[in-house]
Amino acid sequence: MSNIKPSLAKGTRDFSPLEMVKRNYIFDTIKTVFKKYGYAEIQTPSMENLATLTGKYGDEGDKLIFKILNSGDFLSKVKPELLANADSNALTSSISEKALRYDLTVPFARYVVMHQSEISLPFKRFQVQPVWRADRPQKGRYREFYQCDVDVVGSDSLLNEAEFVLIYQEALSSLGLKDFTIKLNNRKILSGIAEVVGKPELIVDMTVAIDKLDKIGLDGVVKELMERGFTSADIDKLKPVILLEGSNEAKLESLKKVLTGSSAGLKGIKEIEQVFDYLRLLLGGESLTANVELDITLARGLNYYTGCIFEVKTNEVAMGSIGGGGRYDDLTGMFGLKDLTGVGISFGADRIYDVLQELNLFPESAAAGTKVLISNFDDAAEKYALPLLQEFRKANIAAELYPSSAKLKKQMSYADDKHIPYVILIGSEEMENGILTLKDMQSGHQQKLTARAIIESLKG
């Protein structure tokens, strides 16, 4: 039998111990903020019934769901005519009953419906788990990646939206980011603009075009709008909206004039104003921080968001959005539980990792592993070190004993490779008088101390 060269499945990756410590630092920081705002963690299985996922993400999304073959002789139960036709779509449901989850939102909706008698509404949950998509792998896009979602269902209060702004601010600031923008918009405002222009059916075409303002400029947007069925008269009405400038308050006043004839548009404005009012009260009357911005060109998730829309961008490095979300009505309707409104946001953990790495923002403690290595030169030293090893661990100091006797150079190389900051050297002299040698691996400085003094020093 030939040796098979090990390889990774396309679009997946291994995480080294150092990467795991950094990733957990991000997750732990964000989870701490979620809990502070009253959100509780749930987990759902990696696999769901295929029927649970199918039809929830559109035709393109359905193609990206990883299906799991039924166990056993899965072809034996397939009708011969299905095999003869070689129609993979028709065949799938016969040979695959389960699939890997595509996102955390649909499993969350299923969870709420299945556990509706146990949960209290509003139900506030967060979830940090991997999802899988059979997408074409490329830089920054993987087939297995983590999502970091926080949602509340069963409450239409806009206090939830205001608190999500604060959750973004607190979590990203805690991670060391200083310059980021939390953008807000409202689906109803976009609907109102399309209505006032007289093209409500072209709302998606309109928003796709104006969303590109930063990239292609006003002339590019106008050209694209013309190609998508808008007239010069329509564009004259749209221009003041596309070029909206000034403070959030000034933008809202301008929009009120433009959207006078649209009840949906005015309702959207009222919702944004309510979010800003809540933020002022939550912040003790302070004016809104500069990083919260009303952005009418923001148009993510139009096929499911019904109210406020969020997006977060860092201004410190060139990167797409590092978070986003919005209000959705009837999330659980797909499973028969109607009229349950919800709102949620997510953090792009992989992108946040790249940003922190580029800005060198991971604290040294985020790379901390073993703090002290005890040397091992012979059987006598090993026996002497074992009770000592447990003393360090009882004091909550991460410690290890080099597992077999070896030359000093080999043990020092091990400490260097693992970035262990301190090594305790135990020779015959140390065993006789109980005074150990503590070596600082960074400075090379050595000092003689008792075990108790070393524990106190390392704890400090």
Side-chain angles (χ1 to χ4, degrees), residues 426-444:
I426 301 175
S428 53
E429 188 186 322
E430 282 84 0
M431 285 188 275
E432 273 172 39
N433 59 27
I435 305 294
L436 310 176
T437 302
L438 179 70
K439 177 168 179 152
D440 182 325
M441 293 296 287
Q442 197 165 9
S443 67

Side-chain angles (χ1 to χ4, degrees), residues 157-173:
S157 169
L158 292 159
L159 174 59
N160 299 306
E161 275 85 337
E163 288 198 334
F164 280 143
V165 171
L166 297 184
I167 284 173
Y168 269 137
Q169 283 184 343
E170 186 169 339
L172 295 175
S173 298

Side-chain angles (χ1 to χ4, degrees), residues 82-377:
L82 274 178
L83 283 172
N85 290 340
D87 181 344
S88 58
N89 286 335
L91 200 58
T92 299
S93 57
S94 300
I95 63 173
S96 171
E97 291 164 9
K98 292 177 278 297
L100 292 175
R101 63 168 170 249
Y102 177 89
D103 71 354
L104 298 178
T105 306
V106 170
F108 173 50
R110 176 201 50 74
Y111 179 95
V112 170
V113 174
M114 286 184 69
H115 297 269
Q116 58 188 292
S117 60
E118 303 155 34
I119 60 179
S120 301
L121 294 177
F123 181 52
K124 300 170 79 170
R125 85 81 169 90
F126 71 86
Q127 207 169 340
V128 178
Q129 285 187 279
V131 299
W132 293 267
R133 294 185 186 177
D135 219 339
R136 191 166 65 83
Q138 50 190 286
K139 185 173 165 45
R141 180 177 290 175
Y142 300 96
R143 287 177 167 172
E144 179 186 68
F145 56 96
Y146 272 72
Q147 287 192 334
C148 190
D149 286 12
V150 57
D151 292 77
V152 52
V153 290
S155 167
D156 57 11
S157 169
L158 292 159
L159 174 59
N160 299 306
E161 275 85 337
E163 288 198 334
F164 280 143
V165 171
L166 297 184
I167 284 173
Y168 269 137
Q169 283 184 343
E170 186 169 339
L172 295 175
S173 298
S174 297
L175 289 168
L177 295 182
K178 292 183 173 63
D179 185 6
F180 53 87
T181 306
I182 302 165
K183 297 185 173 197
L184 257 72
N185 197 7
N186 194 296
R187 165 68 194 251
K188 296 180 183 77
I189 292 175
L190 292 168
S191 299
I193 294 165
E195 198 182 314
V196 165
V197 173
K199 296 277 186 353
E201 74 286 357
L202 291 182
I203 177 173
V204 173
D205 293 275
M206 177 191 83
T207 51
V208 165
I210 65 175
D211 195 31
K212 296 177 185 172
L213 184 64
D214 283 352
K215 295 186 187 87
I216 60 177
L218 182 62
D219 291 343
V221 171
V222 168
K223 183 170 177 280
E224 189 158 328
L225 286 168
M226 299 286 271
E227 287 166 2
R228 288 174 178 269
F230 288 86
T231 64
S232 298
D234 296 336
I235 287 163
D236 285 341
K237 289 181 193 168
L238 274 172
K239 269 185 187 172
V241 175
I242 297 170
L243 298 173
L244 215 51
E245 283 184 338
S247 66
N248 291 324
E249 290 75 15
K251 287 178 183 174
L252 287 166
E253 288 309 313
S254 301
L255 280 171
K256 279 178 191 170
K257 291 172 192 159
V258 174
L259 298 176
T260 309
S262 166
S263 59
L266 291 174
K267 188 161 191 275
I269 290 170
K270 203 169 177 188
E271 287 182 7
I272 289 281
E273 285 181 326
Q274 177 69 71
V275 173
F276 286 161
D277 285 345
Y278 274 132
L279 283 168
R280 283 187 199 95
L281 288 165
L282 285 162
L283 294 166
E286 298 169 33
S287 60
L288 272 180
T289 45
N291 65 356
V292 182
E293 180 195 324
L294 174 64
D295 182 356
I296 297 308
T297 68
L298 176 58
R300 61 187 291 142
L302 276 191
N303 51 342
Y304 45 91
Y305 291 142
T306 53
C308 280
I309 307 168
F310 301 87
E311 187 165 274
V312 185
K313 294 202 166 175
T314 172
N315 305 314
E316 294 178 78
V317 297
M319 181 70 68
S321 69
I322 56 171
R327 165 76 61 175
Y328 41 78
D329 289 333
D330 206 23
L331 168 75
T332 52
M334 62 179 95
F335 297 118
L337 183 59
K338 296 286 183 192
D339 305 320
L340 200 61
T341 185
V343 59
I345 58 170
S346 69
F347 284 76
D350 287 305
R351 284 185 172 179
I352 291 169
Y353 182 101
D354 291 342
V355 171
L356 298 190
Q357 192 75 354
E358 194 169 326
L359 296 173
N360 201 22
L361 286 175
F362 283 108
E364 268 185 44
S365 59
T370 302
K371 191 156 190 181
V372 63
L373 173 72
I374 303 176
S375 68
N376 185 349
F377 295 119

Side-chain angles (χ1 to χ4, degrees), residues 17-23 25-26 361-369:
L18 184 58
E19 287 169 320
M20 279 310 303
V21 172
K22 290 177 175 178
R23 285 173 68 79
Y25 165 72
I26 293 172
L361 286 175
F362 283 108
E364 268 185 44
S365 59

